[in-house]
Amino acid sequence: MAQQGNGQKTDVAKPKDYCNWVMPLLRFLAFGATISATLVMALNNQKKTIVVATIGTTPIQATLNAKFQHTPAFVFFVIANGLCSLHNLLMLAFCFIGSKYDYKGLRFYVIGILDMINVALISGGATSAAFMGQLGRDGNSHARWNKICDKFYTFCNHGEGAIIASFIGLFLMIITTAINIIKLKNVKNYGNNCAINIP
């Protein structure tokens, strides 16, 4: 409400604050995608017995176990998505208590920086895992690397699902980061806001 010179009060439109549901929703969806990618890849395991040689008519068998720990790219993938999940979980909690610990709006800048760091982490993890997944599925005839997905079908399928979930989380994090950066100039504190005000 504003008071004019003649003493009459007029309504002053308050900027819309979509933060109350848009930003928490984006972060919750990103958290769901990245935590799913983390758990699926971390629990991805397949054991298979294959014939490695034949002596006369007797086949020599070996039991092989495919785990994400065997590939550094997959280990980094699990770490990156786990850190991004933790980041989004903390930011969701910060949505509701952050205004109590804010100092001149600095929390918005800190959140923006942390978002960019996590975008870089999850981007590196997802792309490195996608590269190794493509190599495992198709192999590389030039380097004479054989494909393995024809032998570890379940392991590759689970890994593919984890990578897709990670890219979905990356896309949501990019949107979240872009909103925070573009609208940072419109930062205004209205009670319990978790990010920025969009007029």
Side-chain angles (χ1 to χ4, degrees):
M1 300 289 289
Q3 188 169 2
Q4 295 180 346
N6 57 6
Q8 295 180 350
K9 294 183 178 180
T10 58
D11 292 331
V12 176
K14 184 179 179 179
K16 284 185 178 181
D17 183 12
Y18 296 109
C19 160
N20 289 331
W21 61 275
V22 171
M23 297 303 290
L25 177 62
L26 286 172
R27 291 199 182 278
F28 179 77
L29 293 176
F31 170 76
T34 54
I35 196 65
S36 298
T38 303
L39 294 176
V40 170
M41 184 64 80
L43 299 176
N44 198 8
N45 184 13
Q46 184 181 2
K47 184 181 292 185
K48 190 167 185 177
T49 301
I50 62 175
V51 177
V52 295
T54 302
I55 299 177
T57 58
T58 304
I60 306 300
Q61 295 181 333
T63 300
L64 303 178
N65 200 2
K67 295 180 179 180
F68 84 96
Q69 296 98 322
H70 297 162
T71 306
F74 292 158
V75 174
F76 176 62
F77 175 89
V78 171
I79 294 173
N81 281 275
L83 288 175
C84 190
S85 301
L86 179 62
H87 166 75
N88 279 305
L89 191 61
L90 291 175
M91 291 302 103
L92 280 172
F94 204 67
C95 284
F96 306 103
I97 65 173
S99 59
K100 299 178 182 178
Y101 304 99
D102 192 18
Y103 178 74
K104 297 183 178 179
L106 287 179
R107 65 189 172 109
F108 300 109
Y109 296 94
V110 173
I111 289 173
I113 293 171
L114 291 176
D115 281 345
M116 287 189 287
I117 292 173
N118 279 273
V119 166
L121 274 176
I122 194 175
S123 176
T127 51
S128 62
F131 167 76
M132 293 304 300
Q134 188 273 334
L135 186 63
R137 185 189 64 185
D138 301 327
N140 190 319
S141 58
H142 300 288
R144 296 184 180 180
W145 291 337
N146 296 325
K147 59 184 178 180
I148 65 165
C149 285
D150 56 335
K151 300 177 180 64
F152 295 95
Y153 185 75
T154 303
F155 178 82
C156 290
N157 275 352
H158 290 174
E160 182 181 2
I163 293 170
I164 291 173
S166 182
F167 274 109
I168 293 174
L170 173 61
F171 177 71
L172 292 169
M173 282 300 299
I174 290 174
I175 294 176
T176 302
T177 304
I179 292 176
N180 274 327
I181 292 174
I182 293 173
K183 298 296 183 178
L184 195 57
K185 63 180 180 179
N186 294 330
V187 169
K188 293 178 182 178
N189 294 320
Y190 286 116
N192 219 18
N193 296 342
C194 63
I196 48 96
N197 292 305
I198 304 176

